[in-house]
């Protein structure tokens, strides 16, 4: 029931009327959903009867009330109970009804569990969770410091399990690699987080690996990729990186057959940083003409134009593009629909731009393992919102070795004249 309202618009427990209405609405909707779930379960098994003709699956009152922390606040629910007398012939044990909406162990919604690492990374200590969330949720139920500590330990275990999982059944056709520097506590002052994100044969994106490394060194990258290879990872067809020599050296050692694609965003930033501000707008437009060209021939022509315009005053800058031309234009040998994805490491940068904001205000998450676990949980949460690459059906063709010219699939390559 709703509470009486004071003159100032608050209820007896200090919350606002609108919060009370939202929580009461959430409680009623949850109760109705649980009732509907149980009724459907019983109706589907109505024909299951014993020797005397009595039903084996019937209602049996309610479980004890429990409080569940949701995004709408803390609501108290009484889940209906089911008496299921059926016996599993394989195990000899009684079958049990388990709610998909509210499992027996559930005390908080997944959204609440998702917000905890965000707050922890934002500098909130475990002792601060109760007063902070109590004001927002209306109760501190299930949010004790011990609960938060157990969660952080579980997150660390999740990250460890993730980095130990078998990769032999996961085929990553494309991968993006980058070393991300975050304001979290790692073992060394110049340590960074090494990240691999891959595209599977169905076109979906997925986090492949995440661990700390030192200055994006070749050995740090090689250690990461050796570990992936040891766990069964197949060599990707194309790897996209920011141009750091450490990554390319490691890639050549562990997956020498993988083609290289340099990130145009990083390349553009490095080129412009080496030029005076007055020359930067024109140079930026000239560089965009290269990676936005309609095909490789036009891109190569745009590189020649760039060299003609800037080689006299900025020969070293031009050389950074002409020397890396094959690596920077590799994406043109793949489906045109994938070009926008393959010419930059944007999938990593866009994901970690949010992580950076949430780690900026804190000096660390307590320890190296805790810091990595927090970053892992943030990326894991963001992964649910990643969209597949354009034309995902073409990814499998890339893995199969199909040829693409000008971004189009070559069905039957023209035979050369004798």
């Amino acid at each position: 029931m709703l509470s009486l309202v004071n003159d100032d618009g608050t209820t007896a427990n200090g919350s606002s009327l609108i919060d009370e209405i939202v929580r009461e609405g959430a409680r009623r909707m949850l109760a109705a959903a649980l009732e509907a779930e149980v009724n459907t379960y019983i109706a589907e098994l109505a024909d299951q009867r014993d020797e005397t003709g009595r039903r084996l699956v019937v209602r049996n009152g309610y479980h004890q009330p429990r409080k569940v922390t949701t995004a709408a606040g803390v609501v108290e629910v009484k889940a209906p109970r089911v008496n299921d007398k059926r016996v599993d012939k394989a195990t000899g044990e009684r079958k049990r009804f388990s709610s998909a909406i509210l499992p027996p162990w559930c005390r908080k919604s997944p959204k609440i569990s998702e917000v905890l690492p965000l707050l922890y990374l934002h500098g909130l200590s475990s002792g601060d969770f109760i007063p902070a969330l109590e004001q927002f949720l209306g109760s501190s139920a299930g949010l004790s410091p011990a609960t938060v500590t157990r969660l952080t330990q579980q997150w660390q275990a999740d990250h460890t399990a993730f980095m130990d999982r078998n990769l032999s059944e996961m085929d990553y056709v494309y991968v993006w690699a980058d070393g991300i520097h975050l304001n979290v506590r790692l073992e060394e002052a110049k340590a960074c987080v090494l990240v691999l994100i891959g595209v599977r044969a169905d076109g979906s994106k997925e986090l492949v690996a995440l661990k700390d490394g030192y200055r994006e060194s070749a050995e740090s990258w090689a250690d990461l990729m050796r570990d992936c290879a040891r766990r069964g990872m197949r060599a990707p067809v194309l790897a996209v990186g920011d141009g750091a020599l450490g990554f390319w050296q490691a890639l050549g050692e562990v997956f020498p057959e993988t083609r290289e694609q340099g990130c145009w965003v990083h390349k553009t930033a490095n080129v412009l940083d080496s030029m005076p501000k007055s020359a930067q707008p024109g140079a930026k437009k000239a560089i965009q003409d290269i990676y936005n060209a309609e095909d490789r021939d036009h891109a190569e022509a745009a590189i020649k134009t760039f060299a003609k315009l800037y080689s006299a005053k900025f020969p070293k800058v031009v050389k950074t593009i002409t020397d890396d031309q094959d690596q920077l234009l590799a994406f043109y040998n793949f489906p045109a629909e994938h070009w926008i994805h393959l010419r930059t490491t944007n999938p990593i940068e866009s994901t970690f731009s949010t992580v950076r904001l949430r780690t900026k205000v804190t000096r660390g998450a307590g320890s190296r393992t805790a810091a990595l676990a927090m970053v892992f949980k943030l990326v894991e949460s963001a992964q649910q919102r990643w969209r597949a690459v354009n034309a995902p059906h073409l990814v499998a063709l890339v893995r199969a070795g199909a040829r693409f010219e000008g971004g189009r699939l070559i069905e039957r390559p023209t035979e050369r004249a004798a």
Side-chain angles (χ1 to χ4, degrees):
M1 295 179 64
L2 296 178
S3 305
L4 294 176
V5 183
N6 300 323
D7 293 337
D8 61 357
T10 62
T11 59
N13 61 9
S15 62
S16 68
L17 178 60
I18 190 171
D19 289 333
E20 289 285 346
I21 293 174
V22 170
R23 277 194 285 269
E24 178 62 16
R27 186 194 65 78
R28 292 181 181 181
M29 291 179 66
L30 180 57
L34 292 172
E35 288 284 351
E37 183 185 36
V38 166
N39 290 338
T40 301
Y41 180 81
I42 293 175
E44 291 176 349
L45 300 172
D47 60 336
Q48 301 287 316
R49 299 177 181 268
D50 61 14
E51 298 83 2
T52 62
R54 294 181 177 179
R55 289 187 177 184
L56 292 175
V57 184
V58 295
R59 285 286 297 268
N60 187 24
Y62 292 87
H63 292 283
Q64 289 294 320
R66 59 170 148 154
K67 293 182 178 180
V68 180
T69 305
T70 71
V74 176
V75 297
E76 185 174 274
V77 295
K78 288 177 63 176
R81 188 161 53 190
V82 176
N83 185 7
D84 195 336
K85 299 178 182 179
R86 296 175 302 153
V87 177
D88 190 321
K89 294 181 180 180
T91 63
E93 297 180 355
R94 284 273 297 272
K95 294 186 177 181
R96 295 180 180 273
F97 166 76
S98 180
S99 172
I101 299 173
L102 188 67
W105 47 264
C106 183
R107 294 295 184 274
K108 61 177 83 60
S109 74
K111 279 295 180 185
I112 296 300
S113 295
E114 182 178 308
V115 81
L116 294 180
L118 308 189
L119 295 176
Y120 194 76
L121 266 177
H122 210 62
L124 204 66
S125 67
S126 58
D128 294 331
F129 273 79
I130 293 178
L133 293 181
E134 188 172 14
Q135 293 296 317
F136 178 70
L137 300 173
S139 172
S140 60
L143 295 172
S144 67
T147 300
V148 176
T149 300
R150 286 195 299 271
L151 280 173
T152 57
Q153 292 173 347
Q154 181 60 50
W155 297 330
Q156 292 175 34
D158 291 345
H159 178 236
T160 300
F162 175 80
M163 291 301 294
D164 288 338
R165 75 196 191 287
N166 190 334
L167 297 178
S168 60
E169 297 181 0
M170 303 176 186
D171 185 12
Y172 300 110
V173 181
Y174 303 133
V175 295
W176 294 279
D178 205 351
I180 305 297
H181 296 267
L182 300 172
N183 190 23
V184 294
R185 186 175 301 159
L186 299 173
E187 287 184 337
E188 300 286 346
K190 296 182 180 179
C192 62
V193 179
L194 305 181
V195 186
L196 281 180
I197 291 178
V199 176
R200 302 185 67 165
D202 62 358
S204 61
K205 299 172 188 172
E206 184 175 275
L207 179 65
V208 180
L210 185 152
K211 67 172 295 186
D212 58 329
Y214 183 70
R215 282 188 173 183
E216 299 186 62
S217 67
E219 188 53 39
S220 293
W221 275 115
D223 182 64
L224 174 61
M225 287 189 283
R226 285 193 209 104
D227 181 64
C228 290
R230 176 186 60 80
R231 291 184 282 127
M233 179 176 169
R234 186 178 177 185
V237 176
L238 180 73
V240 186
D242 67 353
L245 292 177
F247 171 69
W248 300 123
Q249 291 176 12
L251 183 70
E253 175 189 335
V254 182
F255 298 124
E257 61 270 47
T258 299
R259 296 194 62 177
E260 302 175 0
Q261 169 63 49
C263 172
W264 274 103
V265 171
H266 285 84
K267 176 62 72 174
T268 302
N270 292 336
V271 167
L272 297 183
D273 285 345
S274 302
M275 303 177 74
K277 288 186 177 181
S278 60
Q280 289 181 7
K284 183 177 181 179
K285 180 63 173 63
I287 292 173
Q288 290 174 339
D289 290 341
I290 299 172
Y291 63 76
N292 286 329
E294 59 183 278
D295 55 35
R296 185 181 179 109
D297 290 340
H298 285 83
E300 291 175 350
I303 289 179
K304 292 179 181 178
T305 300
F306 179 83
K308 182 179 180 180
L309 291 172
Y310 296 101
S311 59
K313 291 185 176 181
F314 311 106
K316 292 183 179 179
V317 169
V318 172
K319 188 176 176 60
T320 63
I321 290 182
T322 55
D323 285 358
D324 297 338
Q325 177 171 311
D326 289 340
Q327 185 190 73
L328 290 169
L329 302 183
F331 71 92
Y332 281 111
N333 294 320
F334 294 87
E337 294 87 346
H338 298 172
W339 290 355
I340 192 172
H341 305 288
L342 301 180
R343 59 195 180 206
T344 76
T345 56
N346 186 60
I348 293 179
E349 289 294 331
S350 59
T351 296
F352 276 84
S353 62
T354 303
V355 177
R356 283 193 181 98
L357 289 176
R358 290 165 179 165
T359 59
K360 187 175 182 180
V361 298
T362 177
R363 293 180 63 84
S367 68
R368 164 188 166 274
T369 54
L372 286 174
M374 296 304 99
V375 173
F376 168 69
K377 296 307 289 187
L378 283 172
V379 177
E380 186 181 55
S381 175
Q383 181 175 265
Q384 300 173 14
R385 296 181 287 275
W386 292 345
R387 68 177 185 88
V389 298
N390 298 335
H393 63 283
L394 296 177
V395 179
L397 295 178
V398 172
R399 170 56 82 188
R403 284 184 55 199
F404 294 84
E405 290 184 6
R408 296 182 179 181
L409 175 65
I410 304 301
E411 300 276 353
R412 294 181 178 86
T414 304
E415 295 183 3
R416 294 182 179 179

